Amino acid sequence: MVLELGKEYPLAGEDKLIDILLASLSQDLDDKGQPMLRQQHPKSHGLVKGEFIVDSNLPEDLKIGVFQREKYDVLIRFSNGSNKRKDGHLQSDMVGDARGIAIKLLNVGQNNNEQDFVGINHPVMFIKDIKGYLDFGLVQKGMVEGKVILKPGEPPQVDDEFREPFQASAYAFGILKEIAAKATTSPLDIIYWSTTPYKLGEKAIKYQMVPHQTQTFNPQNAQDQDNYLREGIKQYLQKREAYFDFKIQFQTDADKMLIEDPTIEWKESDSPFIKVATIKIFQQEFDTAEVKQQDESLSFSPWHCLPEHRPLGGVNRARNKIYTQLSEKRKLDSH
Ligand code: HEM
């Protein structure tokens, strides 16, 4: 098949697969009497305020969507990916995990809409499509049931019924291992990638957020190591502002830079990231009950967007219905 730049190629029967995934994620959402948190990325390290400042010297062909205006107020939420709990507590920050960023530009466009940008600290997603997500979910179920047993240094033990999804998930385990091996000094110190593609007008891009500051915190010095990522942001922002560059990368080769498979990195050697804006996070106190409540009441989604920035590809198509329905469900529960 000859692939075209910016074009989507949905899986056959994709809508049905999305419904199956939504149903299975909804089942996991019951937090047994606790207030319902996000199904993914439930642990927040802080909701902070800042500004998204578009570069003043952008070439005309990049002045599309939000990049047409000078400045926006933003809310930014930092998170861990894992929804695992032990004794009612979400996983310790000392355990390797995907670290998330979610940025909400406020009062965007003519209708005062929101534009969200969502990233993780790795250039690629761990599953390529919805079928991949469902296979991975089955393997996790097998692990809970003791029918898939993985021990470091030992060959995996897999019951026949889980063999097929287990084999199909080998690449996902590889990517998750790379993500878990990454050290994070503070969420303010690391690079985040969209992993999935988006429109920029008629073209397709991925995006990236690159910090100006590095090594701002030493986890060994934390008062509470299980929650040191919040402590790191808190200590830094008490004294000064933090900054990230917001960069975009154009899809320039439809065969190498796939729209439908976010496990394949778009190489910078094929198309470099270009800086288009600066994210400024104010000096502030954010670790309050009020801000935590606001954090839980918010929803971030790649589908909170101007049409010029519409999400592309199967993983993003699935996120439309899934983020909408699961975030509504958790908010209903908390009332
Ligand atoms: C089919 C694939 C995916 C599914 C099913 C999924 C599911 C979810 C769900 C249910 C939430 C919580 C929504 C809410 O309650 O408000 C969430 C949040 C999040 N997801 Fe995904 N996700 C997927 C792909 C991705 C990808 C590719 C990324 C990479 C950037 C990502 C990064 C995040 C982040 C950072 C959050 C936290 C947002 C916040 O702070 O509110 N997800 N995801």
Side-chain angles (χ1 to χ4, degrees):
M1 182 168 56
V2 181
L3 300 178
E4 284 175 42
L5 285 172
K7 194 164 172 209
E8 299 185 273
Y9 300 90
L11 277 181
E14 187 176 88
D15 288 344
K16 218 172 177 176
L17 294 179
I18 294 172
D19 283 340
I20 295 171
L21 178 58
L22 175 59
S24 101
L25 296 174
S26 307
Q27 274 181 4
D28 296 343
L29 208 60
D30 182 358
D31 281 353
K32 299 174 189 67
Q34 308 273 346
M36 231 180 238
L37 302 176
R38 288 163 174 79
Q39 207 278 344
Q40 299 285 315
H41 293 261
K43 183 170 182 180
S44 172
H45 312 310
L47 177 75
V48 295
K49 293 194 175 78
E51 281 175 343
F52 187 91
I53 306 152
V54 177
D55 281 3
S56 56
N57 56 352
L58 276 193
E60 283 307 311
D61 61 333
L62 296 187
K63 288 186 182 163
I64 298 171
V66 296
F67 304 111
Q68 296 174 86
R69 229 177 72 190
E70 195 190 327
K71 213 167 122 168
Y72 303 85
D73 289 331
V74 292
L75 291 169
I76 302 178
R77 178 176 181 271
F78 294 100
S79 60
N80 277 351
S82 170
N83 59 11
K84 281 190 206 136
R85 283 175 176 74
K86 210 175 158 195
D87 306 328
H89 294 288
L90 286 160
Q91 183 170 278
S92 166
D93 297 344
M94 299 302 275
V95 181
D97 190 8
R99 316 294 181 192
I101 190 170
I103 305 177
K104 190 179 287 301
L105 276 61
L106 302 167
N107 302 322
V108 168
Q110 284 170 341
N111 301 324
N112 287 340
N113 289 332
E114 295 173 349
Q115 169 67 49
D116 295 356
F117 294 115
V118 184
I120 54 165
N121 63 333
H122 201 59
V124 295
M125 177 61 175
F126 71 98
I127 47 103
K128 56 174 158 264
D129 54 24
I130 298 312
K131 170 85 177 49
Y133 210 117
L134 287 168
D135 281 334
F136 185 76
L138 276 177
V139 176
Q140 283 186 311
K141 183 169 166 272
M143 286 162 75
V144 171
E145 290 173 6
K147 293 177 179 167
V148 176
I149 302 172
L150 305 178
K151 285 194 187 143
E154 288 179 27
Q157 292 174 38
V158 183
D159 272 23
D160 279 349
E161 59 177 308
F162 291 103
R163 193 147 292 159
E164 215 183 287
F166 182 73
Q167 278 165 359
S169 301
Y171 73 93
F173 279 106
I175 295 170
L176 286 173
K177 212 168 146 188
E178 281 174 35
I179 296 177
K182 292 185 156 187
T184 308
T185 45
S186 161
L188 297 175
D189 299 346
I190 54 176
I191 305 180
Y192 299 90
W193 288 261
S194 67
T195 74
T196 50
Y198 293 82
K199 271 178 176 287
L200 183 67
E202 294 308 308
K203 296 190 176 165
I205 59 157
K206 290 190 181 181
Y207 55 81
Q208 185 191 49
M209 281 74 87
V210 183
H212 290 197
Q213 56 288 326
T214 55
Q215 307 276 324
T216 61
F217 190 72
N218 181 352
Q220 299 308 325
N221 298 339
Q223 286 179 358
D224 173 9
Q225 291 199 324
D226 289 339
N227 300 300
Y228 80 87
L229 293 172
R230 176 174 283 267
E231 205 173 316
I233 306 178
K234 193 174 154 177
Q235 281 199 8
Y236 194 81
L237 295 183
Q238 261 164 4
K239 299 206 183 86
R240 72 216 105 169
E241 297 156 345
Y243 293 89
F244 285 84
D245 286 344
F246 186 89
K247 297 180 165 187
I248 58 169
Q249 179 189 38
F250 282 104
Q251 185 200 30
T252 51
D253 181 325
D255 297 311
K256 282 204 236 170
M257 307 169 82
L258 298 172
I259 295 287
E260 297 294 342
D261 184 350
T263 63
I264 308 288
E265 186 175 355
W266 291 7
K267 296 276 180 221
E268 292 194 52
S269 49
D270 289 324
S271 175
F273 278 97
I274 307 165
K275 177 174 183 286
V276 289
T278 306
I279 299 160
K280 172 175 166 181
I281 303 177
F282 301 138
Q283 181 179 345
Q284 63 194 286
E285 291 286 346
F286 64 88
D287 194 29
T288 64
E290 199 188 341
V291 175
K292 283 182 184 159
Q293 198 179 12
Q294 183 188 13
D295 181 333
E296 293 309 328
S297 75
L298 284 175
S299 301
F300 294 86
S301 163
W303 288 88
H304 295 160
C305 65
L306 295 180
E308 294 94 320
H309 305 303
R310 189 173 77 73
L312 293 171
V315 167
N316 272 341
R317 285 192 297 278
R319 290 164 90 188
N320 194 359
K321 199 170 183 181
I322 291 177
Y323 281 50
T324 307
Q325 297 211 6
L326 293 187
S327 84
E328 269 170 21
K329 196 167 169 195
R330 73 175 159 80
K331 285 191 215 165
L332 274 179
D333 171 78
S334 62
H335 284 124

